[in-house]
Amino acid sequence: VQADLKNFDFDVRVKVTSFKAVILKGEEIVFQKSYLGSSISAELKEQLRNARVGYTVRFEEIKAVDPAGTEFKLIPISFKII
């Protein structure tokens, strides 16, 4: 998971420090796990491979840190498999 800040006058690098991955089949949660760092685990990769048409994948509670060391939350990201 990576965060890029677009349309800034200068290049700002932020580092994702944690996030939660959620996979839904309709309203039913089929997978949910929180992670430290920005890496997608082998377990999550497998869950993503097994996701089918109609499933929704969400990355929530995304926390990042800027170069000054300030931690902040990013907006959730979601997509539906079609």
Side-chain angles (χ1 to χ4, degrees):
V1 178
Q2 181 179 336
D4 290 324
L5 301 177
K6 304 287 184 192
N7 300 319
F8 273 67
D9 292 336
F10 52 92
D11 189 21
V12 176
R13 300 278 180 194
V14 297
K15 181 179 177 183
V16 172
T17 57
S18 64
F19 65 95
K20 180 168 73 172
V22 181
I23 301 175
L24 300 124
K25 179 181 179 183
E27 297 294 319
E28 175 190 358
I29 296 173
V30 295
F31 179 81
Q32 177 175 264
K33 189 167 183 179
S34 294
Y35 294 93
L36 291 176
S38 60
S39 296
I40 294 178
S41 69
E43 176 186 30
L44 179 53
K45 286 179 187 177
E46 185 64 24
Q47 291 292 328
L48 292 169
R49 278 188 208 102
N50 292 331
R52 300 291 176 238
V53 171
Y55 282 31
T56 301
V57 177
R58 295 176 54 169
F59 292 97
E60 307 174 339
E61 300 176 18
I62 305 166
K63 293 182 183 173
V65 64
D66 66 17
T70 304
E71 187 176 77
F72 55 95
K73 290 179 77 172
L74 298 172
I75 61 171
I77 301 165
S78 67
F79 57 91
K80 189 168 189 169
I81 298 176
I82 56 172

